[in-house]
Amino acid sequence: MSRKKKNLILENIKLLSAGAKGVAVGKTEEGKTILVSGAVPGDVVNARIKKAKSKYYEAEAVDILEPSPYRVEAQCQHFGVCGGCKWQNLAYDKQLEFKQDEVLNNIRRIGGIEDFETLPILGSAEQYYYRNKMEFSFSDARWLTLEEVNSSEAINDKNALGFHIPGMWSKILDLKECHLQEDPSNAIRLAVKQYAVDKGLAFFDVKNQDGFLRTLMLRQNSKGEWMVLFQLYREEKDNREALFEYILKQFPQIKTLVYAINPKNNDSIYDLDIQTYFGEGYLMEEMDGLRFKIGPKSFFQTNYKQALELYRKTLEFADLKGNEVVYDLYTGTGTIAQYLARNAQQVIGIEAVQEAIDAAKAHATLNGLDNCTFYCGDMKEVFTEEFLARHPKADVLVTDPPRDGMHHKVVEQILKLAPQRIVYVSCNSATQARDLALMKDHYRVVKILPVDMFPQTHHVENIALLERI
């Protein structure tokens, strides 16, 4: 990269649209594309170039010369620092418009597909306080503002409980408020921090891997019942029990409190032994009559109400009559599979994570569904010709892969299986479009439905219905 290009300020850039990952897109006077962070479509900005590519610039806004008519006041005092909710300053109707445009552009540009019905994006009824799970980190060396860094005054309050600063994993933003999870999420977090400070409990030292309090996870169900999970770097029995008793007394909404001792060099809970201090160690959730047991390690959609709409639409797209064999690829904990099972003859689910498959089997038993069969393993290794030969042919296939989309071998097996209908649920319309392109000689994209699962962010889900040609 040319040193002359990097850090160059480009002036009076009109930002016309939204691009991938929430950047705003404009053009230079020479017609070169510029992707600008820290701005919204409609702004006129001065932008500093961070990377100069042959076809475009990556830049950051340094001055907002003319604010966009789509700008709104961000609700959170931490906006622009914590790294989440990057579209809080963009009107929600415009968020939906840009998300739908992104999906359409990917299907057409990457997928090379033009002739399909586009249903209006399904917006979220709740634009804030929609998450049912939040995770926070303790630190004894919180992120300092520029004013604090430059101040000559001693800084004594260095403890933090909040989010990692983007690009600075060792720095934690001390959260005063968060608009993602409903009350008493903020109250619990703030009470935990204040108690820990008052009692002199050791916040985690990320660099030296030492301390007592490490992470806090808050999870709720739709009934207003709460789970609290603490990760502790080491055992301090008296301090632990006193803290837990204090929190339980303060917040009767807490249905269960669990904890784990984690001396590892990462915060992952999936290989930890979870101990139940209070309650049953799990919450129960219900979705349209289906019951699910949600533990501290459970995979479950974080936007409950919108997930419910997503599952209902997936079932609607599958158009089951009751006698179909359905394959559910990347089934997770089997939530979609069980939605389908009540309207199908048989459902076969495949998933790579053993804990998720164990949960799927348990949930099927809990819900009295004896027509679900689940298999665990890497999709391209399990979903093979041998597998297809041992199982009945699918009439309908549902696939909900991770952000990377489907491996090309999986796509090849779907084409060999040749179900009449495919319902492709995706959290990344770019990789979805790539996969649709591989199938377009055999399947017609009938319609798509973008779904906004995460308001105030650039993320968007998409459901596509395919029918065999």
Side-chain angles (χ1 to χ4, degrees):
M1 181 192 304
S2 168
R3 287 181 176 271
K4 293 182 179 179
K5 293 283 178 137
K6 188 176 180 180
N7 294 323
L8 177 68
I9 302 292
L10 297 178
E11 298 181 340
N12 292 299
I13 301 297
K14 173 74 172 180
L15 302 176
L16 306 172
S17 62
K21 299 182 179 180
V23 299
V25 183
K27 294 283 187 181
T28 66
E29 289 183 357
E30 297 77 23
K32 190 168 184 176
T33 297
I34 180 168
L35 311 177
V36 182
S37 60
V40 299
D43 283 340
V44 178
V45 304
N46 292 337
R48 178 185 293 112
I49 296 176
K50 296 190 294 184
K51 292 183 181 179
K53 305 286 187 177
S54 59
K55 294 184 178 179
Y56 62 91
Y57 293 127
E58 293 181 14
E60 61 183 354
V62 292
D63 298 300
I64 308 294
L65 304 178
E66 296 179 25
S68 168
Y70 315 137
R71 272 187 172 269
V72 296
E73 190 72 26
Q75 289 199 20
C76 182
Q77 64 177 287
H78 301 299
F79 175 73
V81 178
C82 86
C85 304
K86 291 183 178 179
W87 270 2
Q88 268 193 61
N89 58 349
L90 182 62
Y92 187 59
D93 61 336
K94 285 298 176 180
Q95 293 182 32
L96 295 179
E97 179 182 319
F98 291 131
K99 290 181 182 189
Q100 175 140 338
D101 287 346
E102 178 186 340
V103 171
L104 287 172
N105 290 338
N106 284 336
I107 300 297
R108 290 168 176 160
R109 180 176 56 84
I110 300 173
I113 301 166
E114 293 287 347
D115 186 18
F116 55 89
E117 180 185 2
T118 303
L119 301 176
I121 185 170
L122 186 60
S124 177
E126 297 177 342
Q127 285 100 60
Y128 289 95
Y129 306 110
Y130 57 82
R131 289 185 67 96
N132 57 31
K133 177 185 173 185
M134 295 293 291
E135 298 177 73
F136 310 100
S137 296
F138 292 89
S139 173
D140 66 351
R142 67 175 174 84
W143 179 81
L144 301 178
T145 66
L146 186 60
E147 292 77 11
E148 288 176 314
V149 171
N150 293 332
S151 173
S152 59
E153 296 183 10
I155 298 173
N156 298 315
D157 59 331
K158 291 189 176 181
N159 289 323
L161 176 55
F163 297 141
H164 291 272
I165 295 290
M168 292 184 282
W169 184 250
S170 65
K171 297 300 181 183
I172 302 296
L173 171 68
D174 188 41
L175 278 181
K176 307 301 182 186
E177 63 178 1
C178 180
H179 295 261
L180 286 175
Q181 191 175 33
E182 68 183 35
D183 289 336
S185 176
N186 280 310
I188 294 174
R189 188 190 67 255
L190 293 172
V192 167
K193 189 206 168 186
Q194 191 60 55
Y195 178 93
V197 170
D198 291 344
K199 299 298 182 181
L201 304 183
F203 285 53
F204 191 54
D205 181 341
V206 178
K207 289 186 177 180
N208 296 313
Q209 294 288 292
D210 194 17
F212 173 51
L213 298 169
R214 186 162 185 165
T215 70
L216 172 69
M217 183 186 81
L218 303 179
R219 194 165 206 164
Q220 70 193 102
N221 64 12
S222 57
K223 297 178 181 179
E225 299 169 334
W226 288 73
M227 171 191 293
V228 176
L229 166 65
F230 283 92
Q231 281 193 49
L232 308 173
Y233 182 70
R234 60 177 178 244
E235 173 66 292
E236 296 181 9
K237 186 173 184 293
D238 291 344
N239 285 332
R240 171 175 60 78
E241 291 183 349
L243 169 63
F244 292 176
E245 288 299 324
Y246 173 78
I247 293 302
L248 290 170
K249 183 178 179 181
Q250 294 295 312
F251 299 98
Q253 304 95 325
I254 297 174
K255 180 80 170 178
T256 187
L257 191 154
V258 296
Y259 71 98
I261 307 300
N262 179 9
K264 303 181 302 172
N265 60 3
N266 65 69
D267 293 339
S268 172
I269 70 169
Y270 295 105
D271 56 350
L272 297 178
D273 183 20
I274 307 295
Q275 302 292 320
T276 299
Y277 180 81
F278 171 77
E280 297 177 306
Y282 60 85
L283 299 175
M284 294 303 299
E285 188 58 277
E286 183 174 328
M287 304 181 85
D288 283 343
L290 293 170
R291 300 177 68 215
F292 299 95
K293 182 178 175 181
I294 311 300
K297 298 182 182 181
S298 294
F299 303 87
F300 203 76
Q301 286 280 9
T302 54
N303 185 341
Y304 166 85
K305 291 182 179 179
Q306 200 67 343
L308 197 54
E309 297 301 323
L310 179 74
Y311 298 153
R312 289 169 176 168
K313 290 298 182 181
T314 300
L315 177 61
E316 179 184 314
F317 275 34
D319 192 25
L320 301 175
K321 308 302 182 187
N323 59 348
E324 295 91 346
V325 174
V326 181
Y327 282 28
D328 183 26
L329 306 189
Y330 312 92
T331 191
T333 56
T335 313
I336 289 178
Q338 291 176 66
Y339 257 81
L340 302 172
R342 295 184 295 183
N343 296 273
Q345 176 182 319
Q346 182 180 1
V347 177
I348 298 171
I350 307 173
E351 167 61 43
V353 180
Q354 185 63 55
E355 290 89 344
I357 285 294
D358 292 342
K361 292 178 179 178
H363 290 151
T365 300
L366 181 66
N367 289 306
L369 298 170
D370 58 5
N371 61 339
C372 295
T373 308
F374 296 102
Y375 297 91
C376 183
D378 184 280
M379 191 64 62
K380 67 180 182 298
E381 304 299 331
V382 174
F383 187 58
T384 62
E385 290 188 46
E386 292 78 13
F387 182 90
L388 299 182
R390 297 195 309 269
H391 294 86
K393 176 178 169 55
D395 303 293
V396 177
L397 182 140
V398 175
T399 181
D400 185 7
R403 292 192 62 79
D404 289 343
M406 297 190 292
H407 192 278
H408 67 88
K409 289 184 178 179
V410 176
V411 177
E412 290 171 4
Q413 289 305 119
I414 290 175
L415 296 179
K416 291 177 182 177
L417 179 63
Q420 181 59 37
R421 285 188 304 285
I422 297 172
V423 183
Y424 190 149
V425 181
S426 173
C427 60
N428 184 346
S429 60
T431 55
Q432 181 188 45
R434 177 204 66 200
D435 296 343
L436 295 180
L438 297 175
M439 296 189 281
K440 66 182 180 181
D441 289 340
H442 304 270
Y443 283 87
R444 177 175 68 92
V445 177
V446 178
K447 58 184 175 181
I448 67 167
L449 172 62
V451 180
D452 184 24
M453 298 290 290
F454 303 106
Q456 318 308 331
T457 78
H458 62 273
H459 298 291
V460 59
E461 304 257 340
N462 187 50
I463 312 172
L465 172 62
L466 290 72
E467 289 186 352
R468 195 174 65 209
I469 297 174

